[in-house]
Amino acid sequence: MKNQTITVRPLSAHTGAEITGVDLAQPLSDQTYLEIRETFNQWGAIFFRDQDITPTQQLEFARRFGNVTPDDYASNLPLVDGYEELKEIVRKPDDPRNVGGFWHMDKCFMPDPDMASLLYAKELPPYGGDTMFAHLGAAFDALSPGLQATLETLSTVLIKSRAYGDGGTPAPGVTAEGYAEALEKFAGIEATHPAVARHPETGRKVLFVGPVYSDRFAGWTREESLPLLDYLSGILTRPEHTCRFRWEEGSLAMWDNRAVAHYALDDYPGHRRSMHRVTIQGPWLEPTSAAA
Ligand SMILES: [Fe+2]
């Protein structure tokens, strides 16, 4: 489809595209919506700049793509005043750790993760705070046919508390008390997903292995799983499989948790960063025919 209403500028070969020609404060025409949706499917992460939108307009844009529901699993994040579906992702100057500062797909530790996340920049540090994206389909394509076939028979167990530490060692920026609290608070929050799955809209196969949340392959021990998980994480986050988005005030990013992993860089100590986030539910990844 040739775009009639928007202009698309890819950021890299595999993921990330900037879209211009749209004012998100206005209702989207059906044609513009279709062109944005197709760009979203093709690139996994899309970006708009210089948008001046209210929380209500952000929610209206999100609702064109799917159901918007309150994000109960980010209970430690404040709500934007008056909006139960809108969270403020805020990093205060003295916070020891930023939110999402490791490679992950949002809520991949749940049986039914969010299809997409939509982040709008409100307040930015003078430097840093970029977000990186890595394409799960590019990672799958980079593997040998033999490893692809093997992975298609496996499932991965993903655990929420893994973000706070591993094997008794707290993650960077997490205190021993914070790690112990997380283990207790998030006990039992985990899910098993096929290691390779099919994107429901593009049909493309993706490697659904979260570098931090993945604990093991189902039926394997942690010790047996780690070498392969580490190898796959290295492929997924290979620089050539990524793009890096530099935020400006008024930037809005929307990414597909079925197609990309992301990483919020923690390189602005002593500064404040505030974003408004909406999460969108939609059709989830489908098993491939080879899945166990
Ligand atoms: Fe995230």
Side-chain angles (χ1 to χ4, degrees), residues 50-257:
D50 303 319
Q51 300 294 323
D52 185 7
I53 54 171
T54 63
T56 300
Q57 288 163 339
Q58 186 178 351
L59 283 168
E60 278 170 7
F61 175 68
R63 287 198 178 101
R64 289 299 297 264
F65 293 85
N67 280 336
V68 170
T69 48
D71 183 358
D72 296 331
Y73 285 91
S75 52
N76 48 335
L77 299 171
L79 289 172
V80 173
D81 266 355
Y83 295 88
E84 63 172 13
E85 306 97 337
L86 211 58
K87 292 268 184 186
E88 185 184 12
I89 310 281
V90 61
R91 166 79 180 281
K92 298 189 214 75
D94 54 352
D95 283 347
R97 192 184 192 215
N98 70 335
V99 175
F102 51 92
W103 285 106
H104 66 286
M105 294 78 81
D106 288 331
K107 282 198 257 175
C108 57
F109 45 80
M110 298 298 297
D112 189 18
D114 299 320
M115 170 189 88
S117 305
L118 207 156
L119 207 58
Y120 178 53
K122 296 293 289 180
E123 208 181 322
L124 293 169
Y127 51 81
D130 296 359
T131 304
M132 295 189 69
F133 298 87
H135 205 284
L136 308 176
F140 178 78
D141 292 347
L143 303 174
S144 67
L147 184 51
Q148 287 177 339
T150 299
L151 288 168
E152 285 199 55
T153 66
L154 300 179
S155 292
T156 317
V157 181
L158 301 113
I159 297 181
K160 178 167 170 72
S161 59
R162 278 268 169 252
Y164 295 84
D166 184 6
T169 307
V174 179
T175 60
E177 296 75 40
Y179 180 32
E181 245 175 62
L183 284 176
E184 197 179 312
K185 187 171 162 194
F186 302 129
I189 300 185
E190 61 178 71
T192 302
H193 291 285
V196 176
R198 195 179 289 284
H199 192 283
E201 292 177 64
T202 64
R204 188 171 180 186
K205 286 181 184 176
V206 299
L207 178 68
F208 197 77
V209 172
V212 168
Y213 287 122
S214 293
D215 181 68
R216 63 190 184 277
F217 294 107
W220 295 28
T221 65
R222 169 84 169 152
E223 192 182 16
E224 290 167 339
S225 307
L226 262 182
L228 183 51
L229 287 172
D230 285 347
Y231 175 76
L232 296 173
S233 296
I235 298 291
L236 173 62
T237 61
R238 191 183 273 172
E240 288 77 8
H241 293 158
T242 71
C243 75
R244 178 169 175 154
F245 183 62
R246 173 93 190 111
W247 295 92
E248 295 166 341
E249 248 175 61
S251 297
L252 183 141
M254 178 172 158
W255 63 87
D256 186 342
N257 290 307

